[in-house]
Amino acid sequence: MTTDKPDWIRLQKALAIEAEKGFADLLGKQYRFSEFLTLTFGKFPIDLPGIERRRWQELAAEFANYPNLELEDRQHLVAETRRYLYQVQQVVEGEGEAGKAREAEQQGSWRAKENSSGYSPLSKSPIVGEVSRNLAPNLDQKLSDLPEIGIRKSANLARLGLYTVRDLLYYYPRDHIDYARQVNIQELVAGETVTIVATVKRCNCFTTPKNNKLTILEVLLRDQTGQLKISRFFAGTRYSSRAWQESFKRRYPNGSIVAACGLVKESKYGLTLEDPELEVLGHAGDTIESLIIGRIVPIYPLTEGVGADLVRQAVIAALPATVHLKDPLPSGLRDKYNLMELKEAIHNIHFPPDSDSLQAARRRLVFDEFFYLQLGLLQRQQKAKETQTSAILAPKGQLLEKFSEILPFKLTNAQQRVINEILNDLQKPAPMNRLVQGDVGSGKTVVAVIAILAALQSGYQAALMAPTEVLAEQHYRKLVSWFNLLHLPVELLTGSTKIAKRRQIHAQLETGELPLLVGTHALIQDPVNFMRLGLVVIDEQHRFGVEQRARLQQKGEQPHVLTMTATPIPRTLALTIHGDLDVSQIDELPPGRQTIQTTVLINQQRSHAYELIRREIAQGRQTYVVLPLVEESEKLDLRSAVEEHKKLQESIFPEFQVGLLHGRMSSAEKDEAITKFRDNETQILVSTTVVEVGVDVPNATVMLIENAERFGLSQLHQLRGRVGRGAAKSYCLLLSSSKSSDAQQRLRVLEQSQDGFFISEMDMRFRGPGQVLGTRQSGIPDFTLASLVEDEEVLILARQAAEKVIEIDPTLERWYLMKEELKYRYERLMGGAILT
C-alpha cells in the first residue's frame, strides 16, 4: 500500500511535541499520537526506496504497540524515529534522481546475482524485501550494531544467548502457528488456528465493574456467512482511562474492514477467537501487513523479560544477512537428496510463506544436524580402523575347541553369525569396536565368552565390566562354572572385595597369572594394571558414563572392545549414539524359551495376582515382587520395599517365606537374599530394580510389578525377562494405580509383544530417547530441530550421504566448507565428548 510523499515537517513536529509533553501519547483532534504514527507508517511513500520499506513497516508495528511501552522505551522509539526520518528524507528529497539511480543500480546488481545463481534467498520471504550484499548485515556483526535492535534490545536478546546476526539466523523456532488459512465465520471449527476478514458491526471498550484493573475490548464482526464476537483483555490501571478506551474504539470504527486471527475456541456465547490479533484494512482485498495475521507465525523459545515480538523483529533484521551464507553441501548432494538450499531453508524456517515451504526447510535443517553428526562418527571410525596397534587374536585354538565340547547346548544361528563377525574383527590389527544387541535371554554371555577365550588362547588378558555387583557376580558364577572345566583362573573385583584379595588380584594381573578379571567400576577405580590386556567386554554399556568406558580401554594398548546390551536400542538411537561402532544383533532366542503371559491389572484386581502366586508356589514355583523407585529417592524406595516385604510376609503370605533385596543392602546381605531365593528357601523375593539384570532363577515363574506405570517399557521388558527361564509356563503381572489412558496404552504394548526391539521403539515414542537409555550419561546429542522419533527417514538418508562422502574423501579436503562446518557443528553438538 503506497501513499503520496509524507509531510516530513508534520511528522517531525508530532514527534517533537510528543517528546516535549513527556511521551504521554497525546490525543489530537482525530487521533492519538501513536495512532497517527501507526497509520502514517502503515503506508509506503511513493518515493520510498525498496530497501527502506522493511524499516518503515516495522515502525508501524512499533507505534501500534506504543501505548503498552514503558516511558524509557517510548523515549527511545521517538528519538530513533526522528533520526531515521531525517536520514530517509535526505535520500528521498536531498539526493533526488541520483539516489534513485543508485538504488536502481543496487537492485540491478542484485538481480544479476539472483539470475546467475538461479535463486534469490529473499525473494520468497513474506517479510524481508530485496537487499544488496553490501547493505546486508555481516554474519558476525553484533546485534547491538543493527539499528533495528540497538544496545537496549540486544541486552535482552543476550539473555537467550543471542549476540550476533549468525546466532539469530540459527535460533530456530520451537514451533509454528498457522494463521495463513483464511476462512469465513461460518466455517470456524473449535481448536483450529485461522484468519478471518470481516466488517466491524460494533466496538466497545470498558473496565469491568468487578475489577478496575481489567479492561475489555469487544468487537462484533460480520461477514457474508455470519457474525462473531471477539474480546481482548488488558490488565493495568492505565487502560481504565476513558481517553485510552475511546482511542481504542476509534481504531475499529463501525463499517471498517479488519483482519483477525487466533485460536478458535468455545465460549458461553458460542465460538470466538482466543487472544486475537487485529489489523484494520483499507478494503476487503487489501494486503495484510501484520507479522502475525494471515501468516505462519514462528514461536521461539523465550525467557522472562524477552517477548516474542522482540525476537521476531530481531530475526527480520538479521534475515538479509543470509546473502552471505555459503552452502557447505555440494549442489549434487542437495539434488540427490532433494534438499532445499541453505539460504532458502533459513528464511523458510523463520517466516515460511506456506506449510510446504516450512516442511522443506525443516527437512533440510534436520538433515544437516544428522549429517554432520554421522560424518563425525564415521570419520572417527575411519581413524580408529587406521590404527594398527591392537592385538591380532587367533580365531581357532585349543581353548575354543574345548569350550565347544563342554557347552551343554547348541548355539543358535544368530549367535553363530555374531561370533563369526567378532572373530573376524579380532584377526585384524585395527581395534574392534563392536556393539552386540540381544534381547533378554538371547545368549549374549556365551558370545562374549568365546571372544574372551580367543584373547586368552592368543596370550592376552581380558576384562569384563558390569554396572552392578549383582550382575558382575552373576557373570562370575557363570564363568567359573565353565572356566573350571577349562582349568583357567578367573577373579571377581567389586567394591566389596577385601583389601587382601584386592592386592592378590592386582599382583596376578601385573604378572599375567590372572587371564580374566570380572568386576564393576572397581576395575577402573582401583590401581588395576594388566600385563597384556587384549580385550575389554562391557555389559549393559549404556549404564556407564563416557569417561568410565574410556578409562577401562586405557588399561591396555588399544585393546579390542566388545560392548553388550540386553536393552535393545531403537535403530535411530543406535545410529546417533553408536554411529562409530559396528553393530551386531542376536535376533533369535534359544529353543525352549517360554512365551511369558503378560497381563495388565488395576489395583482392584490385586486378589487375582495373589491367587496366581499361591497356585504357582503350591506347584513348587517362585515369585518376584518388584517395586519402583519412588521419586528417585533411595530412602523412599527402601522404605516402600521394607514395608511391602513386611505386609506380604505377615498379612498376605504368612505360609510362605518372603525375602527382601534392595540397593542399600550390603554385598553380603544381597548375596544371602539371592542365594536363599535361588535355593528355594524363600518362595517370594520382594525387590527393587536390583533384579532387573543378573538374577537368574529358572524356577521363578511369576513377576509381579507394582506401580508398573512408573517404569519405562524397556525396563519392564527387562524385568519380565527374569521369568520364563525354565520349562514351566511363566507370568508377568503389571499392577497399575494410574487411571491415565496414556499409561494404560503404554502398558498394553507389553501385553501384545515379546519383541524387545519393537518394545524399545514404542518406549522411545512414548518417553523420548533420553529416558529410554535411563541415564544422563548416555551421550545423546543436543539437537535443535531433529527428532529421533519423527525423523528416522531423514537420519537414514543423512547416514547414507555421510558414508558416501567418507568413501570418496575421508579427510574432506575437497570440500573445505563442509570440513569447516563439521568441525564447528560436531564439537558443538557432542560437546567434544568421546561417546564410546
Side-chain angles (χ1 to χ4, degrees), residues 229-247:
K229 185 167 80 170
I230 59 176
S231 304
R232 289 199 65 178
F233 300 90
F234 302 89
T237 53
R238 60 178 172 169
Y239 301 115
S240 61
S241 75
R242 289 305 303 164
W244 187 90
Q245 292 174 6
E246 288 299 320
S247 72

Side-chain angles (χ1 to χ4, degrees), residues 34-211:
S34 58
E35 294 172 327
F36 169 66
L37 270 292
T38 301
L39 291 170
T40 300
F41 288 114
K43 300 177 181 179
F44 299 130
I46 290 175
D47 291 335
L48 188 70
I51 59 175
E52 297 294 348
R53 294 191 172 200
R54 173 168 53 87
R55 181 60 187 142
W56 197 269
Q57 179 181 301
E58 288 172 2
L59 285 170
E62 290 184 32
F63 278 104
N65 190 46
Y66 188 84
N68 301 325
L69 298 179
E70 300 295 336
L71 177 61
E72 182 185 351
D73 297 332
R74 292 186 179 190
Q75 291 172 334
H76 181 80
L77 178 58
V78 168
E80 186 179 300
T81 305
R82 293 181 75 177
R83 285 194 300 271
Y84 172 73
L85 287 174
Y86 178 78
Q87 293 168 356
V88 173
Q89 186 179 0
Q90 298 302 309
V91 173
V92 174
E93 294 183 349
E95 295 186 4
E97 294 302 317
K100 292 180 184 177
R102 262 197 307 276
E103 184 195 354
E105 183 181 343
Q106 290 166 353
Q107 299 289 7
S109 66
W110 168 251
R111 290 193 181 94
K113 188 172 290 292
E114 173 186 337
N115 292 335
S116 68
S117 65
Y119 165 67
S120 164
L122 304 179
S123 61
K124 293 188 178 181
S125 169
I127 304 296
V128 183
E130 293 178 335
V131 62
S132 74
R133 181 180 293 271
N134 292 334
L135 291 173
N138 190 284
L139 290 169
D140 297 314
Q141 192 168 341
K142 293 180 180 178
L143 297 180
S144 57
D145 294 340
L146 297 185
E148 300 91 340
I149 297 177
I151 295 174
R152 183 179 53 81
K153 292 180 181 177
S154 68
N156 285 334
L157 292 168
R159 297 167 69 181
L160 294 172
L162 305 174
Y163 303 97
T164 68
V165 169
R166 189 190 303 271
D167 292 340
L168 266 177
L169 293 181
Y170 286 95
Y171 193 67
Y172 301 143
R174 62 174 174 80
D175 201 358
H176 293 79
I177 299 178
D178 189 355
Y179 293 127
R181 193 166 76 89
Q182 188 173 317
V183 300
N184 293 324
I185 290 175
Q186 192 179 41
E187 299 168 340
L188 294 177
V189 176
E192 294 183 348
T193 52
V194 297
T195 292
I196 61 170
V197 175
T199 304
V200 176
K201 302 306 294 180
R202 186 176 68 248
C203 179
N204 193 19
C205 192
F206 58 92
T207 301
T208 62
K210 294 182 180 179
N211 185 351

Side-chain angles (χ1 to χ4, degrees), residues 6-45:
D7 187 337
W8 302 107
I9 296 175
R10 188 179 177 206
L11 271 171
Q12 289 286 11
K13 186 176 181 180
L15 289 160
I17 293 173
E18 174 71 5
E20 289 171 11
K21 298 299 182 181
F23 307 94
D25 199 11
L26 295 173
L27 180 62
K29 291 180 180 178
Q30 189 176 2
Y31 300 107
R32 279 200 172 274
F33 164 76
S34 58
E35 294 172 327
F36 169 66
L37 270 292
T38 301
L39 291 170
T40 300
F41 288 114
K43 300 177 181 179
F44 299 130

Side-chain angles (χ1 to χ4, degrees), residues 24 174 222-223 272 367 372 374 393 466 490 546 592 609 651 737 759:
R174 62 174 174 80
R222 181 178 295 169
D223 66 10
T272 187
F367 181 93
Y372 290 108
Q374 295 303 318
L393 307 182
V490 54
V546 170
S651 306
S737 58
I759 289 166

